[in-house]
Amino acid sequence: MQYVNEVIATVIEHSPGQPEFHQAVKEIYESLIPAVKKHEEEYRRTKILEMLAEPERSISFRVPWVDDHGKVHLNRGYRIQFNSALGPYKGGLRFHPSVNRGIVKFLGFEQIFKNALTGMAIGGAKGGATFDPKGKSDQEIMSFCQSFMTELFRHIGPNIDVPAGDIGVGGREIGFLFGQYKRLTKRFEGALSGKGVEFGGSEVRVEATGYGAIYLTEEMLKHHDDTIAGKKVVISGSGNVALYALQKAYQMGATVVTVSDSNGYIYNENGIDFETIRRIKEDERGRVKDYADEMTGTDYFEGGNIWEVPCDLVIPCATQNEISLDSAKKLVSNGCKYITEGSNMPCTREATDYLKDAGMIILPSKAANAGGVAVSTLEMSQNSVRQYKTFKQLDRQLHEIMINIYTRIMDANEEYDLKDDYIAGANIAGFRRVAKAMRLEGYV
Ligand code: NDP
Ligand code: 2IT
């Protein structure tokens, strides 16, 4: 479609050197074509697609800090406040050496549509830093987080922008960030989500992304007269999302045979034990290799390709573009039927196209990992009315939210006759809500 292609070309031209952002814009906008066609004149006139691809505000800043030996380090921090049509900016912070403007923009752009899909009152944002938390002491992490917040605090707040965790940012980092926010502003308020439950954090936030991914998978499988029980599952990564996807999949009767980190993967045909891997990763900050060293019957494959392991359902939970075209071919030839995207944009464009053509059923990250930001938003609500909800209440709410996301996707699919194209359905359902809010608020 000409309008969509023109916008994609302009976005690429105006954001050189940001391949992940280009990939996200191209994938989302091409899938919106049926919905854009319906309102082409209005969308062209109001430049809605151009507007959506341009962040409302983009902040980058220096983050100096001092290590345990007195050496000075310098990293770059980002916060990209992409769209506030639906509510305060909302989205995670990523601390990883690969972070750059293009990666933060792709994540922030995806977040607009994901947040819209939850049906909640949250805009889209993302942030992060080039900092590598791996191997750093708690004191060094605290020093970095305090320096990061010393700039960020002036840009955020419970009704402005509420950051949370992502790769490299978990409960420990959010605690240090929150402490510094409080010191600088004199305010004890919900300017961050993912806090410890002792100081305003929500039950179920730690589990939310992984659990939500499995709840959505269950809905999808029901629709295909199938169940999670009995499935052989490959999960990549061994961080927050991977661990709790593993736990919930196990509780529902599946066997998760792998998890991984950037060094390699572990395999056990009888399944990976949740409590052991959780202790190694969360309490001891260890590696997946430590699990294989401790548990007989588990093999460790240093540098191995996890996508070669045969399975029925694959749940990538590490990072973007972790599934290449070659890996997609391996998954299909090994008989894998379903993919639930835990990580954001885990497949390259070529991999996605191949998987679709091969008939693989894809639950896109925007829907599959939306449980995290959804419970973050429940944390914001609890903070604003000083309320505490129990694990059971929130787990039930999360489950309902994931079912509603599935329904929204199916409604869009039905309206545009998209069959089981969950990617297009999720994008269209999210887009429609944001586009309408932007129109009602006055575009310019
Ligand atoms: P964590 O930092 O807790 O875990 C990340 C895991 O992925 C680690 O095992 C890490 O291995 C691995 N990993 C990260 N980067 C790479 C890389 N470049 N190559 C290979 N392995 C890598 O992050 P999360 O679990 O929070 O996030 C995982 C994914 O889920 C991300 O895509 C994130 O955007 C997405 N997500 C997270 C949400 C959340 O609530 N936390 C919500 C929605 C989406 P290693 O330790 O070796 O680096
Ligand atoms: O990608 C994501 O949705 C997140 N990292 C979680 C964002 C949040 O605000 O909880």
Side-chain angles (χ1 to χ4, degrees):
M1 187 198 184
Q2 208 192 336
Y3 171 46
V4 166
N5 292 337
E6 279 166 22
V7 175
I8 292 171
T10 310
V11 168
I12 292 174
E13 193 191 329
H14 291 176
S15 53
Q18 300 178 358
E20 293 86 359
F21 178 55
H22 303 166
Q23 184 184 340
V25 170
K26 205 165 169 336
E27 181 187 301
I28 294 181
Y29 280 3
E30 286 176 356
S31 76
L32 294 180
I33 287 174
V36 174
K37 269 189 181 151
K38 220 172 159 177
H39 301 278
E40 187 174 350
E41 186 282 322
E42 180 200 331
Y43 290 165
R44 261 187 187 276
R45 178 171 47 78
T46 55
K47 291 199 167 23
I48 179 86
L49 296 184
E50 291 90 326
M51 208 78 85
L52 263 170
E54 187 66 34
E56 288 176 16
R57 194 169 299 104
S58 179
I59 300 148
S60 84
F61 50 97
R62 74 170 184 221
V63 190
W65 59 282
V66 181
D67 71 18
D68 290 347
H69 311 286
K71 191 172 166 212
V72 176
H73 296 262
L74 184 58
N75 289 101
R76 183 174 294 159
Y78 296 95
R79 187 68 180 169
I80 305 219
Q81 298 177 331
F82 230 114
N83 193 292
S84 61
L86 297 178
Y89 304 109
K90 184 84 198 86
L93 296 172
R94 176 177 292 192
F95 291 171
H96 194 271
S98 64
V99 164
N100 59 42
R101 185 179 295 277
I103 288 181
V104 180
K105 275 176 75 180
F106 117 67
L107 290 162
F109 184 67
E110 290 269 321
Q111 198 85 40
I112 304 171
F113 301 90
K114 179 196 309 191
N115 293 4
L117 189 60
T118 64
M120 301 167 110
I122 38 174
K126 203 80 186 193
T130 53
F131 177 69
D132 186 358
K134 224 174 285 172
K136 304 288 190 296
S137 69
D138 282 356
Q139 173 59 45
E140 289 171 331
I141 298 284
M142 185 168 83
S143 166
F144 179 82
C145 289
Q146 291 178 341
S147 180
F148 185 83
M149 187 51 82
T150 299
E151 173 56 32
L152 189 69
F153 86 97
R154 67 193 82 246
H155 306 290
I156 65 171
N159 297 305
I160 303 169
D161 181 358
V162 183
D166 194 81
I167 291 175
V169 178
R172 173 182 57 171
E173 290 74 19
I174 294 290
F176 293 147
L177 291 164
F178 179 75
Q180 185 71 347
Y181 176 87
K182 189 163 55 80
R183 251 167 244 125
L184 291 166
T185 61
K186 299 188 288 179
R187 287 170 186 273
F188 193 111
E189 59 188 10
L192 293 148
S193 64
K195 302 181 290 298
V197 285
E198 301 79 5
F199 53 96
S202 177
E203 299 284 358
V204 190
R205 178 59 188 91
V206 172
E207 294 84 358
T209 313
Y211 280 19
I214 301 300
Y215 293 149
L216 192 77
T217 306
E218 189 196 21
E219 278 313 293
M220 176 274 288
L221 288 172
K222 249 193 246 167
H223 177 76
H224 293 274
D225 291 322
D226 206 343
T227 60
I228 291 193
K231 292 262 171 307
K232 191 172 171 179
V233 183
V234 158
I235 292 182
S236 69
S238 50
N240 175 261
V241 181
L243 288 179
Y244 293 93
L246 184 157
Q247 186 190 30
K248 188 50 74 179
Y250 171 77
Q251 287 173 356
M252 290 190 164
T255 306
V256 177
V257 294
T258 63
V259 288
S260 67
D261 55 33
S262 52
N263 297 110
Y265 74 88
I266 52 172
Y267 174 82
N268 187 321
E269 63 175 347
N270 298 315
I272 306 295
D273 178 58
F274 167 72
E275 189 40 43
T276 308
I277 188 71
R278 192 212 58 76
R279 169 178 50 78
I280 290 171
K281 294 293 307 190
E282 286 186 353
D283 302 345
E284 297 162 10
R285 298 193 183 273
R287 310 294 296 163
V288 296
K289 181 178 184 300
D290 301 335
Y291 182 101
D293 289 345
E294 186 177 323
M295 304 287 272
T296 48
T298 299
D299 297 316
Y300 174 63
F301 298 88
E302 176 92 22
N305 183 358
I306 193 171
W307 316 115
E308 288 178 2
V309 178
C311 63
D312 308 305
L313 163 67
V314 63
I315 315 183
C317 295
T319 192
Q320 68 274 359
N321 291 329
E322 53 181 313
I323 300 183
S324 64
L325 177 60
D326 282 349
S327 303
K329 287 181 178 168
K330 261 280 172 241
L331 287 167
V332 171
S333 68
N334 281 334
C336 180
K337 282 173 70 179
Y338 306 102
I339 172 167
T340 296
E341 297 184 341
S343 43
N344 285 306
M345 203 168 74
C347 299
T348 64
R349 179 58 187 266
E350 297 74 26
T352 301
D353 290 346
Y354 182 85
L355 294 173
K356 265 184 174 169
D357 289 347
M360 178 93 84
I361 293 172
I362 306 172
L363 279 182
S365 31
K366 221 168 271 104
N369 69 30
V373 75
V375 176
S376 275
T377 310
L378 300 178
E379 181 171 329
M380 290 164 68
S381 318
Q382 292 170 84
N383 289 168
S384 63
V385 290
R386 305 217 186 288
Q387 185 189 28
Y388 170 85
K389 286 191 177 179
T390 64
F391 190 97
K392 208 170 153 189
Q393 284 174 309
L394 288 158
D395 191 27
R396 196 179 311 130
Q397 256 182 294
L398 168 64
H399 202 152
E400 274 167 24
I401 290 167
M402 298 313 295
I403 292 172
N404 290 338
I405 287 177
Y406 190 77
T407 307
R408 280 186 200 103
I409 297 175
M410 294 307 275
D411 288 349
N413 281 2
E414 201 179 308
E415 188 177 334
Y416 291 98
D417 200 19
L418 292 166
K419 304 276 177 315
D420 291 329
D421 186 346
Y422 297 112
I423 298 178
N427 289 338
I428 290 175
F431 167 74
R432 282 199 300 204
R433 213 181 143 220
V434 186
K436 186 169 177 193
M438 286 172 75
R439 173 163 58 79
L440 295 174
E441 290 175 29
Y443 294 107
V444 283

